[in-house]
Amino acid sequence: MTEQVPAGRPTLEAVAARAGVSRATASRVVNGGDGVRAHLVDKVRAAVLDLGYVPNHAARTLVTRRTGAVAVIIAEPEIRIFSDPFFSRQIRGISKELTAHDTQLVLLLVEHRGDYGRIERYLAGGHVDGALAFSLHTDDPLPAITRRIGMPTVYGGRPGWTGQADGAAPYGPLSYVDADNRGGAREAVRYLVSRGRRQIAHIAGPPDQTSATDRLDGYRDVLVDADPALIAEGDFTPAGGARAMAELLERCPDLDAVFAANDLMATGALGVLRERGRSVPGDVALVGFDDAELVAESAVPPLTTVRQDIEGMGRLMVRLLLRSLDPAQESHRVPGSVITPTSLVVRGSA
Amino acid sequence: MTEQVPAGRPTLEAVAARAGVSRATASRVVNGGDGVRAHLVDKVRAAVLDLGYVPNHAARTLVTRRTGAVAVIIAEPEIRIFSDPFFSRQIRGISKELTAHDTQLVLLLVEHRGDYGRIERYLAGGHVDGALAFSLHTDDPLPAITRRIGMPTVYGGRPGWTGQADGAAPYGPLSYVDADNRGGAREAVRYLVSRGRRQIAHIAGPPDQTSATDRLDGYRDVLVDADPALIAEGDFTPAGGARAMAELLERCPDLDAVFAANDLMATGALGVLRERGRSVPGDVALVGFDDAELVAESAVPPLTTVRQDIEGMGRLMVRLLLRSLDPAQESHRVPGSVITPTSLVVRGSA
């Protein structure tokens, strides 16, 4: 077997010669196979580093049917990805775990739904072994796409479809990692009740995301008879939180607590409360969700919030995906889903 | 020629049949070829949409030798990419321009130098047609890698190597898009001089990036005899700017102006000046660089700064790269470099 190698690029033969092993042994080490004695593995690896050898990827893919890369797809416009610390933290967890498995992270942005045609072509082109996708909205076309092209995929957050509250149908079982959004919301609202608050409002996230609807459900679990006027909708941004807070004060001037479905909306609400001369937590107690980096702790006052282990969830998504790609685990082709616990972090705002 | 198609996936034959054209005509439209009459092009495109047809990418690549994807490599840890608005704005420009050319953006993060081995494998694996790279540091291995594997690449910011101030050697001519960092810095410092400032300090960026050294050179062009004690080094972050400002006040308590090499460091400096009871611009005039989104205008007072067209530079990088990939432009294989102008934006801080 002869490799086509550009002039000057070191060959596997050169690696084998330098390491003093056979080409077959060098090949086995380079392609991650077992059965080579440890001191020979070390010699081959040293030779690879010395020569700057890069495996012929086409050949390697033929043997292992792997690209060594995983796509990360975030179903949000770039402007939200870079302004909400949730995303960078999730990517950090994913990146660390992929690096630990010597797998390349390939980030694909979805600015508009129209971008999915191009993304499908890329995914179908055999450039990645699997995909991680998060922040999907209701009826997002991605699950249908990944199923059509047979791309192993793990979702961050439970995907939701209109009229399919369990998120299972219409595409068969999906694998996802989610926080216990409903349980976390219940804990936040119960805490406000336990502090003697009686008019507890909710700033909800966008109704086309399960993280938002689950947190709203948790609020309603505790406040079964809550006045609908106490619920306003934001869009997970500070501006959306500010708008919702202004609406709530208009409709329910005697509210004494607010549970916001994320920390960014809580900071927007905080600004409006300050402008209107309402003290926090004196007049109005405020609780957020996420324990967002550089947001929750640095707010004035610091936010009481529901912490989810965002980085850990990213790592877990990678582990589930890689397990499903492991040929030794054929029986675990659909790796199942995991709900991770949340915890209330009490700070100054409530 | 027969295509291997997973069950249920529409074939090119099905597209041709639905459009009422020959397979050859359908193929020509799908693969972007010319010479098909407009009304037939429309019919084929409608059939592609109706059926959800995805071209067999492997076959398409064989014909066009293209993947329809471009890698974007940012040589900074994830934590800086998400905290400095420069990066999101550059990515926005790149993303818009790639989308306009129906080309997939593939973002690769470089957390450590050790990641480059994996990135080289991915780039060499034929998963992208070209690369855009920015925020390189001195002696970054990327130019050597892209050259070794023959990957057409355009750099954002002039790459620099120790002892190679012109950035040309040792890897032959490189293509890059850069702002006129030196000219912009000169304009900023001249402005401070024209306002009667006499002790003008400089907070420089990291000395291993040409954007930082060029801005320092611009400062020295105007203040040829500046006391070296008036120059302190930051790292392009707010914390680095704060540390540098504290140093400068220690060494030169009578300074009356500061030119910071980016807006994030200027905001850090602003905080320290406020803490020490120095009014801005009364006691100390302050000028930044970048006109960074959500930073320069919202600072208190708003920052006078040197604006560079970050989004436009991203777009320009894409245009240069795609031109070099265009087979009709074989003579322009190395697309050359472009320096874009900067402009001083005067606001409250100076």
Side-chain angles (χ1 to χ4, degrees), chain A residues 180 182-198 200-201 215 217-224 257-259 287 304 306 342 344 346 350:
Chain A
D180 182 9
R182 191 164 179 164
R186 276 198 295 257
E187 195 182 355
V189 179
R190 278 197 197 114
Y191 174 76
L192 289 168
V193 170
S194 77
R195 308 303 287 177
R197 304 290 166 157
R198 289 295 165 258
I200 303 171
R215 291 170 201 175
D217 286 344
Y219 167 85
R220 285 184 170 137
D221 287 344
V222 180
L223 302 175
V224 181
V258 176
F259 165 51
V287 178
T304 292
V306 181
T342 60
L344 189 72
V346 177

mmCIF file of all heavy atoms in Angstrom, chain A residues 180 182-198 200-201 215 217-224 257-259 287 304 306 342 344 346 350:
data_model
loop_
_atom_site.group_PDB
_atom_site.id
_atom_site.type_symbol
_atom_site.label_atom_id
_atom_site.label_comp_id
_atom_site.label_asym_id
_atom_site.label_seq_id
_atom_site.Cartn_x
_atom_site.Cartn_y
_atom_site.Cartn_z
ATOM 1 N N ASP A 180 -32.884 19.820 35.856
ATOM 2 C CA ASP A 180 -34.223 19.652 36.417
ATOM 3 C C ASP A 180 -34.871 21.035 36.519
ATOM 4 O O ASP A 180 -34.982 21.616 37.603
ATOM 5 C CB ASP A 180 -34.129 18.975 37.784
ATOM 6 C CG ASP A 180 -35.505 18.745 38.389
ATOM 7 O OD1 ASP A 180 -36.526 18.959 37.686
ATOM 8 O OD2 ASP A 180 -35.562 18.385 39.579
ATOM 9 N N ARG A 182 -37.928 22.115 36.097
ATOM 10 C CA ARG A 182 -39.194 22.217 36.824
ATOM 11 C C ARG A 182 -38.958 22.141 38.336
ATOM 12 O O ARG A 182 -39.480 22.938 39.102
ATOM 13 C CB ARG A 182 -40.119 21.101 36.348
ATOM 14 C CG ARG A 182 -41.540 21.246 36.821
ATOM 15 C CD ARG A 182 -42.444 20.339 35.998
ATOM 16 N NE ARG A 182 -43.823 20.434 36.436
ATOM 17 C CZ ARG A 182 -44.848 20.002 35.696
ATOM 18 N NH1 ARG A 182 -44.637 19.462 34.506
ATOM 19 N NH2 ARG A 182 -46.081 20.110 36.146
ATOM 20 N N GLY A 183 -38.117 21.184 38.734
ATOM 21 C CA GLY A 183 -37.798 21.041 40.162
ATOM 22 C C GLY A 183 -37.082 22.268 40.702
ATOM 23 O O GLY A 183 -37.352 22.730 41.819
ATOM 24 N N GLY A 184 -36.151 22.806 39.912
ATOM 25 C CA GLY A 184 -35.417 23.999 40.343
ATOM 26 C C GLY A 184 -36.354 25.195 40.516
ATOM 27 O O GLY A 184 -36.226 25.970 41.480
ATOM 28 N N ALA A 185 -37.287 25.334 39.593
ATOM 29 C CA ALA A 185 -38.248 26.436 39.678
ATOM 30 C C ALA A 185 -39.129 26.286 40.917
ATOM 31 O O ALA A 185 -39.394 27.254 41.643
ATOM 32 C CB ALA A 185 -39.110 26.475 38.414
ATOM 33 N N ARG A 186 -39.556 25.046 41.171
ATOM 34 C CA ARG A 186 -40.369 24.808 42.377
ATOM 35 C C ARG A 186 -39.606 25.237 43.631
ATOM 36 O O ARG A 186 -40.162 25.899 44.513
ATOM 37 C CB ARG A 186 -40.718 23.307 42.484
ATOM 38 C CG ARG A 186 -41.914 22.895 41.674
ATOM 39 C CD ARG A 186 -42.477 21.553 42.155
ATOM 40 N NE ARG A 186 -41.537 20.461 41.938
ATOM 41 C CZ ARG A 186 -41.634 19.566 40.943
ATOM 42 N NH1 ARG A 186 -42.654 19.602 40.105
ATOM 43 N NH2 ARG A 186 -40.755 18.612 40.807
ATOM 44 N N GLU A 187 -38.330 24.870 43.681
ATOM 45 C CA GLU A 187 -37.534 25.195 44.867
ATOM 46 C C GLU A 187 -37.429 26.717 45.037
ATOM 47 O O GLU A 187 -37.531 27.247 46.150
ATOM 48 C CB GLU A 187 -36.138 24.565 44.746
ATOM 49 C CG GLU A 187 -35.390 24.537 46.070
ATOM 50 C CD GLU A 187 -33.982 23.966 45.949
ATOM 51 O OE1 GLU A 187 -33.614 23.500 44.846
ATOM 52 O OE2 GLU A 187 -33.242 24.006 46.959
ATOM 53 N N ALA A 188 -37.224 27.431 43.943
ATOM 54 C CA ALA A 188 -37.106 28.888 44.000
ATOM 55 C C ALA A 188 -38.395 29.512 44.527
ATOM 56 O O ALA A 188 -38.375 30.386 45.409
ATOM 57 C CB ALA A 188 -36.795 29.439 42.602
ATOM 58 N N VAL A 189 -39.533 29.060 44.007
ATOM 59 C CA VAL A 189 -40.809 29.671 44.393
ATOM 60 C C VAL A 189 -41.157 29.292 45.836
ATOM 61 O O VAL A 189 -41.626 30.132 46.617
ATOM 62 C CB VAL A 189 -41.925 29.260 43.402
ATOM 63 C CG1 VAL A 189 -43.258 29.869 43.818
ATOM 64 C CG2 VAL A 189 -41.546 29.707 41.984
ATOM 65 N N ARG A 190 -40.887 28.032 46.197
ATOM 66 C CA ARG A 190 -41.134 27.616 47.589
ATOM 67 C C ARG A 190 -40.305 28.454 48.561
ATOM 68 O O ARG A 190 -40.767 28.810 49.642
ATOM 69 C CB ARG A 190 -40.763 26.130 47.773
ATOM 70 C CG ARG A 190 -41.855 25.204 47.319
ATOM 71 C CD ARG A 190 -41.652 23.790 47.880
ATOM 72 N NE ARG A 190 -42.469 22.863 47.113
ATOM 73 C CZ ARG A 190 -42.000 21.897 46.338
ATOM 74 N NH1 ARG A 190 -40.693 21.687 46.241
ATOM 75 N NH2 ARG A 190 -42.816 21.117 45.683
ATOM 76 N N TYR A 191 -39.072 28.764 48.161
ATOM 77 C CA TYR A 191 -38.222 29.591 49.020
ATOM 78 C C TYR A 191 -38.853 30.968 49.232
ATOM 79 O O TYR A 191 -38.920 31.473 50.363
ATOM 80 C CB TYR A 191 -36.823 29.727 48.401
ATOM 81 C CG TYR A 191 -35.920 30.677 49.145
ATOM 82 C CD1 TYR A 191 -35.329 30.309 50.359
ATOM 83 C CD2 TYR A 191 -35.669 31.954 48.647
ATOM 84 C CE1 TYR A 191 -34.509 31.195 51.045
ATOM 85 C CE2 TYR A 191 -34.851 32.843 49.327
ATOM 86 C CZ TYR A 191 -34.268 32.452 50.525
ATOM 87 O OH TYR A 191 -33.464 33.323 51.208
ATOM 88 N N LEU A 192 -39.355 31.564 48.156
ATOM 89 C CA LEU A 192 -39.986 32.886 48.274
ATOM 90 C C LEU A 192 -41.217 32.812 49.175
ATOM 91 O O LEU A 192 -41.460 33.698 50.004
ATOM 92 C CB LEU A 192 -40.364 33.419 46.880
ATOM 93 C CG LEU A 192 -39.158 33.827 46.010
ATOM 94 C CD1 LEU A 192 -39.570 34.054 44.551
ATOM 95 C CD2 LEU A 192 -38.496 35.103 46.573
ATOM 96 N N VAL A 193 -41.998 31.729 49.040
ATOM 97 C CA VAL A 193 -43.173 31.539 49.897
ATOM 98 C C VAL A 193 -42.733 31.442 51.360
ATOM 99 O O VAL A 193 -43.316 32.077 52.244
ATOM 100 C CB VAL A 193 -43.949 30.268 49.473
ATOM 101 C CG1 VAL A 193 -45.027 29.922 50.502
ATOM 102 C CG2 VAL A 193 -44.559 30.452 48.088
ATOM 103 N N SER A 194 -41.642 30.662 51.579
ATOM 104 C CA SER A 194 -41.171 30.440 52.957
ATOM 105 C C SER A 194 -40.683 31.744 53.595
ATOM 106 O O SER A 194 -40.639 31.867 54.820
ATOM 107 C CB SER A 194 -40.048 29.398 52.971
ATOM 108 O OG SER A 194 -38.824 29.989 52.538
ATOM 109 N N ARG A 195 -40.273 32.734 52.784
ATOM 110 C CA ARG A 195 -39.828 34.029 53.304
ATOM 111 C C ARG A 195 -41.006 34.966 53.498
ATOM 112 O O ARG A 195 -40.814 36.168 53.704
ATOM 113 C CB ARG A 195 -38.811 34.688 52.372
ATOM 114 C CG ARG A 195 -37.634 33.818 51.971
ATOM 115 C CD ARG A 195 -36.837 33.266 53.117
ATOM 116 N NE ARG A 195 -36.029 34.284 53.771
ATOM 117 C CZ ARG A 195 -35.284 34.089 54.841
ATOM 118 N NH1 ARG A 195 -35.268 32.891 55.413
ATOM 119 N NH2 ARG A 195 -34.584 35.055 55.366
ATOM 120 N N GLY A 196 -42.218 34.456 53.363
ATOM 121 C CA GLY A 196 -43.400 35.272 53.652
ATOM 122 C C GLY A 196 -43.897 36.106 52.486
ATOM 123 O O GLY A 196 -44.767 36.977 52.650
ATOM 124 N N ARG A 197 -43.368 35.874 51.272
ATOM 125 C CA ARG A 197 -43.832 36.648 50.113
ATOM 126 C C ARG A 197 -45.196 36.127 49.670
ATOM 127 O O ARG A 197 -45.430 34.913 49.678
ATOM 128 C CB ARG A 197 -42.817 36.556 48.966
ATOM 129 C CG ARG A 197 -41.418 37.000 49.375
ATOM 130 C CD ARG A 197 -41.341 38.506 49.621
ATOM 131 N NE ARG A 197 -40.108 38.869 50.331
ATOM 132 C CZ ARG A 197 -39.560 40.082 50.291
ATOM 133 N NH1 ARG A 197 -40.143 41.074 49.621
ATOM 134 N NH2 ARG A 197 -38.461 40.331 50.956
ATOM 135 N N ARG A 198 -46.053 37.033 49.280
ATOM 136 C CA ARG A 198 -47.430 36.639 48.988
ATOM 137 C C ARG A 198 -47.841 36.918 47.543
ATOM 138 O O ARG A 198 -48.736 36.290 46.997
ATOM 139 C CB ARG A 198 -48.403 37.357 49.953
ATOM 140 C CG ARG A 198 -48.318 36.820 51.398
ATOM 141 C CD ARG A 198 -48.774 35.364 51.459
ATOM 142 N NE ARG A 198 -48.394 34.686 52.707
ATOM 143 C CZ ARG A 198 -47.359 33.834 52.817
ATOM 144 N NH1 ARG A 198 -46.591 33.559 51.782
ATOM 145 N NH2 ARG A 198 -47.114 33.250 53.969
ATOM 146 N N ILE A 200 -46.146 36.723 44.312
ATOM 147 C CA ILE A 200 -44.920 36.290 43.634
ATOM 148 C C ILE A 200 -45.157 36.244 42.132
ATOM 149 O O ILE A 200 -45.957 35.439 41.641
ATOM 150 C CB ILE A 200 -44.470 34.914 44.154
ATOM 151 C CG1 ILE A 200 -44.269 34.973 45.683
ATOM 152 C CG2 ILE A 200 -43.190 34.466 43.442
ATOM 153 C CD1 ILE A 200 -44.042 33.628 46.331
ATOM 154 N N ALA A 201 -44.449 37.118 41.402
ATOM 155 C CA ALA A 201 -44.604 37.164 39.946
ATOM 156 C C ALA A 201 -43.574 36.260 39.281
ATOM 157 O O ALA A 201 -42.588 35.837 39.899
ATOM 158 C CB ALA A 201 -44.436 38.592 39.459
ATOM 159 N N ARG A 215 -39.814 25.710 33.540
ATOM 160 C CA ARG A 215 -39.684 26.589 34.714
ATOM 161 C C ARG A 215 -41.021 27.239 35.053
ATOM 162 O O ARG A 215 -41.381 27.392 36.220
ATOM 163 C CB ARG A 215 -38.581 27.639 34.459
ATOM 164 C CG ARG A 215 -37.201 26.990 34.410
ATOM 165 C CD ARG A 215 -36.077 27.893 33.921
ATOM 166 N NE ARG A 215 -34.960 27.039 33.460
ATOM 167 C CZ ARG A 215 -33.844 27.464 32.873
ATOM 168 N NH1 ARG A 215 -33.658 28.769 32.669
ATOM 169 N NH2 ARG A 215 -32.916 26.618 32.494
ATOM 170 N N ASP A 217 -43.888 25.798 34.474
ATOM 171 C CA ASP A 217 -44.663 24.716 35.093
ATOM 172 C C ASP A 217 -44.293 24.564 36.567
ATOM 173 O O ASP A 217 -45.160 24.327 37.409
ATOM 174 C CB ASP A 217 -44.413 23.389 34.359
ATOM 175 C CG ASP A 217 -45.112 23.338 33.005
ATOM 176 O OD1 ASP A 217 -46.013 24.175 32.771
ATOM 177 O OD2 ASP A 217 -44.759 22.473 32.177
ATOM 178 N N GLY A 218 -42.991 24.688 36.883
ATOM 179 C CA GLY A 218 -42.552 24.576 38.276
ATOM 180 C C GLY A 218 -43.158 25.688 39.126
ATOM 181 O O GLY A 218 -43.586 25.454 40.268
ATOM 182 N N TYR A 219 -43.200 26.910 38.587
ATOM 183 C CA TYR A 219 -43.837 28.038 39.279
ATOM 184 C C TYR A 219 -45.301 27.725 39.561
ATOM 185 O O TYR A 219 -45.796 27.898 40.679
ATOM 186 C CB TYR A 219 -43.689 29.286 38.395
ATOM 187 C CG TYR A 219 -44.528 30.482 38.773
ATOM 188 C CD1 TYR A 219 -44.091 31.395 39.741
ATOM 189 C CD2 TYR A 219 -45.745 30.726 38.139
ATOM 190 C CE1 TYR A 219 -44.857 32.511 40.067
ATOM 191 C CE2 TYR A 219 -46.513 31.838 38.457
ATOM 192 C CZ TYR A 219 -46.067 32.731 39.420
ATOM 193 O OH TYR A 219 -46.820 33.838 39.736
ATOM 194 N N ARG A 220 -45.991 27.182 38.549
ATOM 195 C CA ARG A 220 -47.422 26.883 38.701
ATOM 196 C C ARG A 220 -47.657 25.692 39.636
ATOM 197 O O ARG A 220 -48.721 25.611 40.259
ATOM 198 C CB ARG A 220 -48.036 26.585 37.332
ATOM 199 C CG ARG A 220 -48.239 27.842 36.500
ATOM 200 C CD ARG A 220 -48.952 27.486 35.202
ATOM 201 N NE ARG A 220 -49.377 28.667 34.462
ATOM 202 C CZ ARG A 220 -49.249 28.798 33.144
ATOM 203 N NH1 ARG A 220 -48.705 27.823 32.424
ATOM 204 N NH2 ARG A 220 -49.684 29.891 32.542
ATOM 205 N N ASP A 221 -46.689 24.771 39.699
ATOM 206 C CA ASP A 221 -46.836 23.642 40.633
ATOM 207 C C ASP A 221 -47.025 24.155 42.062
ATOM 208 O O ASP A 221 -47.798 23.607 42.837
ATOM 209 C CB ASP A 221 -45.577 22.749 40.618
ATOM 210 C CG ASP A 221 -45.458 21.911 39.353
ATOM 211 O OD1 ASP A 221 -46.460 21.781 38.628
ATOM 212 O OD2 ASP A 221 -44.349 21.402 39.096
ATOM 213 N N VAL A 222 -46.251 25.212 42.402
ATOM 214 C CA VAL A 222 -46.301 25.725 43.776
ATOM 215 C C VAL A 222 -47.461 26.704 43.941
ATOM 216 O O VAL A 222 -48.182 26.669 44.935
ATOM 217 C CB VAL A 222 -44.967 26.417 44.146
ATOM 218 C CG1 VAL A 222 -45.015 26.948 45.580
ATOM 219 C CG2 VAL A 222 -43.802 25.445 43.964
ATOM 220 N N LEU A 223 -47.646 27.588 42.968
ATOM 221 C CA LEU A 223 -48.697 28.611 43.056
ATOM 222 C C LEU A 223 -49.835 28.229 42.120
ATOM 223 O O LEU A 223 -50.035 28.831 41.061
ATOM 224 C CB LEU A 223 -48.121 29.979 42.689
ATOM 225 C CG LEU A 223 -46.938 30.429 43.561
ATOM 226 C CD1 LEU A 223 -46.358 31.729 43.055
ATOM 227 C CD2 LEU A 223 -47.386 30.577 45.022
ATOM 228 N N VAL A 224 -50.588 27.207 42.530
ATOM 229 C CA VAL A 224 -51.601 26.629 41.646
ATOM 230 C C VAL A 224 -52.639 27.671 41.239
ATOM 231 O O VAL A 224 -53.140 27.667 40.120
ATOM 232 C CB VAL A 224 -52.277 25.423 42.336
ATOM 233 C CG1 VAL A 224 -53.310 24.797 41.424
ATOM 234 C CG2 VAL A 224 -51.217 24.399 42.740
ATOM 235 N N ALA A 257 -42.445 39.891 45.134
ATOM 236 C CA ALA A 257 -41.370 38.971 44.751
ATOM 237 C C ALA A 257 -41.461 38.665 43.269
ATOM 238 O O ALA A 257 -42.548 38.720 42.678
ATOM 239 C CB ALA A 257 -41.461 37.670 45.552
ATOM 240 N N VAL A 258 -40.289 38.364 42.680
ATOM 241 C CA VAL A 258 -40.241 37.982 41.267
ATOM 242 C C VAL A 258 -39.302 36.796 41.124
ATOM 243 O O VAL A 258 -38.175 36.818 41.627
ATOM 244 C CB VAL A 258 -39.719 39.135 40.382
ATOM 245 C CG1 VAL A 258 -39.581 38.681 38.921
ATOM 246 C CG2 VAL A 258 -40.627 40.358 40.473
ATOM 247 N N PHE A 259 -39.776 35.750 40.433
ATOM 248 C CA PHE A 259 -38.898 34.661 40.022
ATOM 249 C C PHE A 259 -38.699 34.795 38.517
ATOM 250 O O PHE A 259 -39.650 34.677 37.747
ATOM 251 C CB PHE A 259 -39.525 33.302 40.380
ATOM 252 C CG PHE A 259 -38.867 32.128 39.691
ATOM 253 C CD1 PHE A 259 -37.477 31.958 39.727
ATOM 254 C CD2 PHE A 259 -39.630 31.186 38.995
ATOM 255 C CE1 PHE A 259 -36.871 30.885 39.077
ATOM 256 C CE2 PHE A 259 -39.025 30.106 38.350
ATOM 257 C CZ PHE A 259 -37.648 29.959 38.386
ATOM 258 N N VAL A 287 -35.408 36.314 42.464
ATOM 259 C CA VAL A 287 -34.636 35.080 42.274
ATOM 260 C C VAL A 287 -34.467 34.828 40.781
ATOM 261 O O VAL A 287 -35.417 35.005 40.009
ATOM 262 C CB VAL A 287 -35.342 33.870 42.929
ATOM 263 C CG1 VAL A 287 -34.551 32.578 42.683
ATOM 264 C CG2 VAL A 287 -35.515 34.084 44.429
ATOM 265 N N THR A 304 -29.853 35.839 44.278
ATOM 266 C CA THR A 304 -30.257 34.498 44.682
ATOM 267 C C THR A 304 -30.741 33.812 43.416
ATOM 268 O O THR A 304 -31.470 34.408 42.619
ATOM 269 C CB THR A 304 -31.393 34.590 45.725
ATOM 270 O OG1 THR A 304 -30.848 35.154 46.924
ATOM 271 C CG2 THR A 304 -31.983 33.214 46.016
ATOM 272 N N VAL A 306 -31.087 29.795 40.955
ATOM 273 C CA VAL A 306 -31.076 28.338 40.879
ATOM 274 C C VAL A 306 -29.870 27.939 40.039
ATOM 275 O O VAL A 306 -29.782 28.285 38.862
ATOM 276 C CB VAL A 306 -32.369 27.802 40.236
ATOM 277 C CG1 VAL A 306 -32.337 26.271 40.189
ATOM 278 C CG2 VAL A 306 -33.592 28.289 41.004
ATOM 279 N N THR A 342 -30.551 20.529 40.228
ATOM 280 C CA THR A 342 -30.256 21.953 40.406
ATOM 281 C C THR A 342 -30.203 22.227 41.909
ATOM 282 O O THR A 342 -30.594 21.388 42.706
ATOM 283 C CB THR A 342 -31.368 22.827 39.797
ATOM 284 O OG1 THR A 342 -32.597 22.512 40.470
ATOM 285 C CG2 THR A 342 -31.530 22.564 38.315
ATOM 286 N N LEU A 344 -30.564 25.640 44.924
ATOM 287 C CA LEU A 344 -30.802 27.059 45.173
ATOM 288 C C LEU A 344 -29.573 27.675 45.831
ATOM 289 O O LEU A 344 -29.030 27.122 46.789
ATOM 290 C CB LEU A 344 -32.024 27.213 46.086
ATOM 291 C CG LEU A 344 -32.521 28.655 46.257
ATOM 292 C CD1 LEU A 344 -33.201 29.144 44.979
ATOM 293 C CD2 LEU A 344 -33.490 28.751 47.431
ATOM 294 N N VAL A 346 -28.495 30.983 47.755
ATOM 295 C CA VAL A 346 -29.095 32.171 48.371
ATOM 296 C C VAL A 346 -28.053 33.276 48.488
ATOM 297 O O VAL A 346 -26.991 33.084 49.083
ATOM 298 C CB VAL A 346 -29.687 31.836 49.749
ATOM 299 C CG1 VAL A 346 -30.238 33.094 50.428
ATOM 300 C CG2 VAL A 346 -30.794 30.793 49.605
ATOM 301 N N ALA A 350 -32.763 37.935 47.617
ATOM 302 C CA ALA A 350 -33.990 37.320 48.144
ATOM 303 C C ALA A 350 -33.650 36.500 49.383
ATOM 304 O O ALA A 350 -32.932 35.531 49.284
ATOM 305 C CB ALA A 350 -34.648 36.422 47.109
#
